[in-house]
Amino acid sequence: MNQQTKVKHHYVPEVYMKGFSMDDEEKVHVLRKPRHNISYMHPAQIMYDKHLYTVSFQNERSQMIEDFYSEVESELSDAFRLMNELRHSPKEYLEAKNTVEFHQLLKVIIALQFWRTPCQRELAKEYASNLLELYDSASEMTKKNLGYDRRFIKYLYAHREKDSHLTLIQNSLLPLLTFKMLDEGLINFSFYVAEQDQGLVLTCDNPVVYSDLNELFEFKIFAFPLTKNIIVASSVDEGALDIYKFNQKIYKQARERVIGSREEYLQEFQRSATEN
Protein backbone atom coordinates (compact mmCIF):
# COMPACT_ATOMS: atom_id res chain seq x y z
CA MET A 1 0.00 0.00 0.00
CA ASN A 2 1.21 3.49 -0.79
CA GLN A 3 2.61 5.10 2.38
CA GLN A 4 0.70 8.26 1.60
CA THR A 5 -2.62 6.45 1.56
CA LYS A 6 -4.77 7.37 4.53
CA VAL A 7 -6.96 4.68 6.03
CA LYS A 8 -8.69 6.61 8.82
CA HIS A 9 -10.96 9.26 7.34
CA HIS A 10 -12.36 11.63 9.97
CA TYR A 11 -15.91 12.85 9.43
CA VAL A 12 -15.42 15.36 12.23
CA PRO A 13 -12.06 17.12 11.73
CA GLU A 14 -9.31 16.55 14.27
CA VAL A 15 -8.43 20.25 14.26
CA TYR A 16 -12.03 21.07 15.16
CA MET A 17 -12.23 18.52 18.00
CA LYS A 18 -9.01 19.87 19.50
CA GLY A 19 -10.95 23.07 20.20
CA PHE A 20 -12.87 21.10 22.86
CA SER A 21 -9.76 20.11 24.81
CA MET A 22 -8.61 21.75 28.04
CA ASP A 23 -5.03 20.47 28.13
CA ASP A 24 -1.80 20.52 26.14
CA GLU A 25 -2.29 16.89 25.15
CA GLU A 26 -5.30 18.01 23.09
CA LYS A 27 -7.38 15.11 24.42
CA VAL A 28 -11.15 15.25 24.92
CA HIS A 29 -13.66 13.36 27.02
CA VAL A 30 -15.92 11.13 24.92
CA LEU A 31 -19.35 9.93 26.01
CA ARG A 32 -20.63 6.84 24.20
CA LYS A 33 -24.41 7.07 24.15
CA PRO A 34 -25.18 3.37 23.71
CA ARG A 35 -22.79 2.26 26.47
CA HIS A 36 -23.07 5.30 28.74
CA ASN A 37 -19.32 5.23 29.39
CA ILE A 38 -16.82 8.08 29.19
CA SER A 39 -13.30 7.80 27.77
CA TYR A 40 -10.40 10.23 27.57
CA MET A 41 -9.07 10.16 24.02
CA HIS A 42 -7.12 12.10 21.42
CA PRO A 43 -9.18 13.31 18.42
CA ALA A 44 -7.04 11.13 16.14
CA GLN A 45 -8.66 8.10 17.80
CA ILE A 46 -12.32 9.00 17.24
CA MET A 47 -14.90 10.18 14.71
CA TYR A 48 -13.52 8.29 11.72
CA ASP A 49 -14.38 5.37 9.44
CA LYS A 50 -11.84 3.42 7.47
CA HIS A 51 -11.73 4.52 3.82
CA LEU A 52 -14.91 6.53 4.27
CA TYR A 53 -14.05 8.86 1.39
CA THR A 54 -12.11 6.45 -0.83
CA VAL A 55 -13.74 6.14 -4.25
CA SER A 56 -13.11 3.80 -7.18
CA PHE A 57 -13.49 4.71 -10.84
CA GLN A 58 -12.52 2.34 -13.65
CA ASN A 59 -10.80 0.01 -11.17
CA GLU A 60 -8.60 2.80 -9.80
CA ARG A 61 -8.93 3.89 -6.18
CA SER A 62 -8.75 7.56 -5.36
CA GLN A 63 -8.58 9.58 -2.16
CA MET A 64 -9.44 12.86 -3.83
CA ILE A 65 -12.17 13.61 -1.31
CA GLU A 66 -9.99 12.88 1.72
CA ASP A 67 -7.20 14.96 0.16
CA PHE A 68 -9.66 17.82 -0.35
CA TYR A 69 -10.82 17.68 3.27
CA SER A 70 -7.20 17.57 4.46
CA GLU A 71 -6.41 20.73 2.51
CA VAL A 72 -9.50 22.50 3.85
CA GLU A 73 -8.71 21.49 7.43
CA SER A 74 -5.14 22.71 7.07
CA GLU A 75 -6.42 26.12 6.00
CA LEU A 76 -9.04 26.15 8.77
CA SER A 77 -6.65 25.30 11.59
CA ASP A 78 -5.64 28.94 12.11
CA ALA A 79 -9.28 30.01 11.83
CA PHE A 80 -10.36 27.65 14.63
CA ARG A 81 -7.56 28.92 16.86
CA LEU A 82 -8.65 32.49 16.14
CA MET A 83 -12.27 31.67 17.01
CA ASN A 84 -11.17 30.18 20.31
CA GLU A 85 -9.59 33.52 21.21
CA LEU A 86 -12.59 35.67 20.25
CA ARG A 87 -13.96 35.66 23.79
CA HIS A 88 -10.82 37.54 24.92
CA SER A 89 -11.35 40.35 22.41
CA PRO A 90 -14.86 41.78 21.98
CA LYS A 91 -13.49 44.25 19.45
CA GLU A 92 -12.17 41.48 17.19
CA TYR A 93 -15.46 39.62 17.60
CA LEU A 94 -17.43 42.64 16.38
CA GLU A 95 -15.04 43.22 13.50
CA ALA A 96 -15.19 39.58 12.39
CA LYS A 97 -18.97 39.50 12.63
CA ASN A 98 -19.23 42.30 10.08
CA THR A 99 -16.88 40.91 7.43
CA VAL A 100 -17.99 38.92 4.39
CA GLU A 101 -14.90 36.72 4.77
CA PHE A 102 -15.89 35.57 8.25
CA HIS A 103 -19.43 34.80 7.14
CA GLN A 104 -18.09 32.83 4.17
CA LEU A 105 -15.86 30.90 6.54
CA LEU A 106 -18.79 29.95 8.75
CA LYS A 107 -20.80 28.86 5.72
CA VAL A 108 -18.01 26.59 4.50
CA ILE A 109 -17.51 25.03 7.94
CA ILE A 110 -21.22 24.34 8.45
CA ALA A 111 -22.00 23.14 4.91
CA LEU A 112 -19.06 20.74 4.71
CA GLN A 113 -19.58 19.41 8.22
CA PHE A 114 -23.26 18.75 7.61
CA TRP A 115 -22.72 16.62 4.51
CA ARG A 116 -19.49 14.81 5.38
CA THR A 117 -20.99 12.78 8.23
CA PRO A 118 -22.02 9.17 7.42
CA CYS A 119 -25.43 9.71 9.01
CA GLN A 120 -26.43 11.90 6.04
CA ARG A 121 -26.04 9.03 3.55
CA GLU A 122 -29.76 8.41 3.12
CA LEU A 123 -30.42 12.12 2.74
CA ALA A 124 -27.68 12.25 0.12
CA LYS A 125 -29.46 9.51 -1.85
CA GLU A 126 -32.66 11.54 -1.75
CA TYR A 127 -30.99 14.72 -2.99
CA ALA A 128 -28.93 12.84 -5.58
CA SER A 129 -32.18 11.83 -7.27
CA ASN A 130 -32.72 15.56 -7.98
CA LEU A 131 -29.12 16.35 -8.87
CA LEU A 132 -29.79 17.83 -12.30
CA GLU A 133 -32.58 20.04 -10.98
CA LEU A 134 -30.29 21.24 -8.19
CA TYR A 135 -27.58 22.12 -10.67
CA ASP A 136 -29.94 23.87 -13.10
CA SER A 137 -31.35 26.04 -10.32
CA ALA A 138 -27.95 26.85 -8.80
CA SER A 139 -26.46 30.34 -8.90
CA GLU A 140 -24.03 31.36 -11.62
CA MET A 141 -21.25 31.50 -9.01
CA THR A 142 -21.94 27.91 -8.02
CA LYS A 143 -22.00 26.73 -11.64
CA LYS A 144 -18.76 28.58 -12.27
CA ASN A 145 -17.11 26.81 -9.34
CA LEU A 146 -18.29 23.52 -10.81
CA GLY A 147 -16.75 24.43 -14.16
CA TYR A 148 -20.12 24.80 -15.88
CA ASP A 149 -19.78 21.04 -16.43
CA ARG A 150 -23.38 19.88 -16.66
CA ARG A 151 -22.25 16.82 -18.60
CA PHE A 152 -20.28 15.60 -15.60
CA ILE A 153 -23.23 16.32 -13.30
CA LYS A 154 -25.41 14.28 -15.65
CA TYR A 155 -22.87 11.44 -15.60
CA LEU A 156 -22.85 11.34 -11.79
CA TYR A 157 -26.64 11.49 -11.73
CA ALA A 158 -26.87 8.51 -14.09
CA HIS A 159 -24.54 6.49 -11.85
CA ARG A 160 -25.79 7.76 -8.49
CA GLU A 161 -26.70 4.24 -7.34
CA LYS A 162 -23.02 3.30 -7.28
CA ASP A 163 -21.31 3.80 -3.95
CA SER A 164 -18.30 5.77 -5.20
CA HIS A 165 -20.42 8.09 -7.33
CA LEU A 166 -22.77 8.78 -4.44
CA THR A 167 -19.81 9.48 -2.16
CA LEU A 168 -18.53 12.05 -4.64
CA ILE A 169 -21.99 13.62 -4.95
CA GLN A 170 -22.47 13.79 -1.20
CA ASN A 171 -19.12 15.35 -0.37
CA SER A 172 -18.22 17.40 -3.45
CA LEU A 173 -21.51 18.55 -4.96
CA LEU A 174 -24.26 18.67 -2.34
CA PRO A 175 -22.52 21.23 -0.07
CA LEU A 176 -22.47 23.62 -3.04
CA LEU A 177 -25.84 22.71 -4.54
CA THR A 178 -27.92 22.71 -1.36
CA PHE A 179 -26.37 25.37 0.89
CA LYS A 180 -26.08 28.99 -0.16
CA MET A 181 -22.40 28.57 0.55
CA LEU A 182 -21.06 30.98 -2.07
CA ASP A 183 -23.64 33.70 -1.49
CA GLU A 184 -21.83 36.84 -0.28
CA GLY A 185 -24.80 37.92 1.81
CA LEU A 186 -24.26 38.18 5.57
CA ILE A 187 -25.83 35.66 7.94
CA ASN A 188 -28.03 36.91 10.75
CA PHE A 189 -26.23 35.15 13.60
CA SER A 190 -25.10 35.65 17.16
CA PHE A 191 -22.32 34.23 19.32
CA TYR A 192 -22.59 32.64 22.71
CA VAL A 193 -19.18 33.48 24.16
CA ALA A 194 -18.32 32.21 27.63
CA GLU A 195 -17.01 34.85 30.02
CA GLN A 196 -14.61 32.32 31.53
CA ASP A 197 -12.76 29.34 30.11
CA GLN A 198 -15.17 26.80 31.59
CA GLY A 199 -15.45 24.48 28.60
CA LEU A 200 -19.18 23.92 28.97
CA VAL A 201 -20.06 23.64 25.26
CA LEU A 202 -20.44 20.11 23.91
CA THR A 203 -20.13 18.80 20.38
CA CYS A 204 -20.78 15.42 18.80
CA ASP A 205 -20.54 13.23 15.71
CA ASN A 206 -23.45 15.12 14.12
CA PRO A 207 -22.91 18.70 15.32
CA VAL A 208 -24.98 20.91 12.99
CA VAL A 209 -28.20 21.69 14.88
CA TYR A 210 -31.29 22.55 12.85
CA SER A 211 -35.05 22.05 12.76
CA ASP A 212 -35.83 22.63 9.07
CA LEU A 213 -33.56 21.64 6.18
CA ASN A 214 -34.55 24.48 3.87
CA GLU A 215 -33.96 27.08 6.56
CA LEU A 216 -30.62 25.45 7.35
CA PHE A 217 -29.55 25.48 3.70
CA GLU A 218 -30.30 29.20 3.57
CA PHE A 219 -28.51 29.74 6.93
CA LYS A 220 -31.71 31.14 8.42
CA ILE A 221 -32.05 28.82 11.43
CA PHE A 222 -29.08 26.82 12.68
CA ALA A 223 -26.68 26.41 15.56
CA PHE A 224 -23.17 25.04 15.70
CA PRO A 225 -20.62 24.54 18.51
CA LEU A 226 -17.47 26.32 17.32
CA THR A 227 -15.28 25.62 20.36
CA LYS A 228 -15.61 24.51 23.97
CA ASN A 229 -16.57 28.11 24.85
CA ILE A 230 -18.35 29.40 21.74
CA ILE A 231 -21.61 28.60 19.97
CA VAL A 232 -22.63 30.29 16.75
CA ALA A 233 -26.37 30.36 16.07
CA SER A 234 -28.84 32.19 13.89
CA SER A 235 -30.19 35.15 15.81
CA VAL A 236 -33.79 33.99 15.44
CA ASP A 237 -32.94 30.74 17.23
CA GLU A 238 -32.62 32.31 20.65
CA GLY A 239 -33.05 29.01 22.50
CA ALA A 240 -29.78 27.76 21.03
CA LEU A 241 -27.91 30.40 23.02
CA ASP A 242 -28.96 28.84 26.30
CA ILE A 243 -25.96 26.60 26.97
CA TYR A 244 -27.87 23.79 28.66
CA LYS A 245 -30.65 23.72 26.07
CA PHE A 246 -28.08 23.72 23.30
CA ASN A 247 -26.22 20.79 24.86
CA GLN A 248 -29.52 18.93 25.14
CA LYS A 249 -29.91 19.28 21.39
CA ILE A 250 -26.34 18.11 20.81
CA TYR A 251 -26.86 15.06 23.02
CA LYS A 252 -30.20 14.24 21.42
CA GLN A 253 -28.98 14.30 17.81
CA ALA A 254 -25.61 12.65 18.44
CA ARG A 255 -25.55 9.25 16.74
CA GLU A 256 -23.03 7.66 19.07
CA ARG A 257 -20.47 10.05 20.55
CA VAL A 258 -20.67 13.33 22.47
CA ILE A 259 -17.42 15.08 23.33
CA GLY A 260 -16.49 17.79 25.80
CA SER A 261 -13.58 19.19 27.73
CA ARG A 262 -14.80 18.34 31.25
CA GLU A 263 -15.60 14.81 32.39
CA GLU A 264 -17.66 15.93 35.37
CA TYR A 265 -19.92 18.01 33.12
CA LEU A 266 -20.43 15.12 30.72
CA GLN A 267 -21.28 12.87 33.68
CA GLU A 268 -23.77 15.38 35.04
CA PHE A 269 -25.34 16.00 31.67
CA GLN A 270 -25.48 12.30 30.79
CA ARG A 271 -27.29 11.48 34.06
CA SER A 272 -29.78 14.28 33.49
CA ALA A 273 -30.38 13.25 29.87
CA THR A 274 -31.01 9.58 30.71
CA GLU A 275 -33.34 10.46 33.58
CA ASN A 276 -35.45 12.55 31.20
Side-chain angles (χ1 to χ4, degrees), residues 74-111:
S74 177
E75 294 180 6
L76 290 179
S77 60
D78 289 338
F80 278 121
R81 282 193 289 270
L82 171 63
M83 292 176 188
N84 201 35
E85 296 300 318
L86 281 178
R87 66 185 185 85
H88 298 302
S89 178
K91 181 180 178 181
E92 289 186 11
Y93 152 67
L94 291 174
E95 290 176 352
K97 194 172 185 292
N98 291 317
T99 63
V100 172
E101 291 77 13
F102 189 79
H103 285 247
Q104 291 281 49
L105 177 64
L106 285 179
K107 292 175 183 179
V108 169
I109 291 172
I110 292 170

Side-chain angles (χ1 to χ4, degrees), residues 2-208:
N2 189 322
Q3 291 185 351
Q4 298 301 315
T5 299
K6 296 180 181 179
V7 176
K8 298 179 179 180
H9 297 176
H10 286 80
Y11 48 86
V12 178
E14 288 183 61
V15 66
Y16 167 72
M17 288 188 282
K18 289 176 181 178
F20 293 83
S21 172
M22 290 288 278
D23 57 39
D24 293 336
E25 294 182 350
E26 299 180 327
K27 291 184 177 181
V28 294
H29 295 282
V30 186
L31 170 64
R32 292 283 296 273
K33 285 180 67 175
R35 301 178 184 177
H36 297 157
N37 66 318
I38 298 175
S39 304
Y40 188 52
M41 307 176 75
H42 191 276
Q45 300 173 286
I46 56 176
M47 309 291 198
Y48 71 83
D49 284 345
K50 292 183 178 180
H51 289 295
L52 176 62
Y53 305 122
T54 300
V55 293
S56 298
F57 299 104
Q58 298 179 343
N59 297 321
E60 291 190 10
R61 304 185 80 187
S62 171
Q63 293 206 335
M64 65 176 78
I65 299 172
E66 174 62 16
D67 291 342
F68 165 72
Y69 281 137
S70 295
E71 290 180 9
V72 170
E73 290 159 21
S74 177
E75 294 180 6
L76 290 179
S77 60
D78 289 338
F80 278 121
R81 282 193 289 270
L82 171 63
M83 292 176 188
N84 201 35
E85 296 300 318
L86 281 178
R87 66 185 185 85
H88 298 302
S89 178
K91 181 180 178 181
E92 289 186 11
Y93 152 67
L94 291 174
E95 290 176 352
K97 194 172 185 292
N98 291 317
T99 63
V100 172
E101 291 77 13
F102 189 79
H103 285 247
Q104 291 281 49
L105 177 64
L106 285 179
K107 292 175 183 179
V108 169
I109 291 172
I110 292 170
L112 292 182
Q113 184 55 66
F114 176 83
W115 279 115
R116 70 185 293 177
T117 56
C119 65
Q120 302 300 351
R121 192 65 168 182
E122 291 303 312
L123 186 65
K125 291 179 181 179
E126 178 184 337
Y127 275 81
S129 65
N130 297 311
L131 191 62
L132 289 174
E133 289 86 347
L134 287 171
Y135 176 80
D136 290 338
S137 61
S139 67
E140 284 300 308
M141 180 63 71
T142 298
K143 291 178 181 177
K144 180 180 179 180
N145 273 265
L146 294 174
Y148 293 105
D149 196 349
R150 192 179 191 277
R151 180 179 297 180
F152 182 61
I153 304 296
K154 188 175 182 179
Y155 165 79
L156 289 177
Y157 169 77
H159 296 85
R160 66 189 182 280
E161 299 295 333
K162 297 181 179 180
D163 187 68
S164 288
H165 293 70
L166 182 59
T167 297
L168 191 59
I169 291 171
Q170 178 176 346
N171 292 278
S172 300
L173 295 182
L174 291 183
L176 284 166
L177 294 177
T178 56
F179 282 89
K180 289 189 175 181
M181 197 167 73
L182 302 180
D183 185 353
E184 293 189 355
L186 301 185
I187 309 171
N188 183 20
F189 74 89
S190 297
F191 278 123
Y192 165 88
V193 182
E195 294 182 1
Q196 298 179 348
D197 188 9
Q198 296 178 313
L200 296 181
V201 178
L202 302 179
T203 190
C204 69
D205 51 14
N206 183 31
V208 180

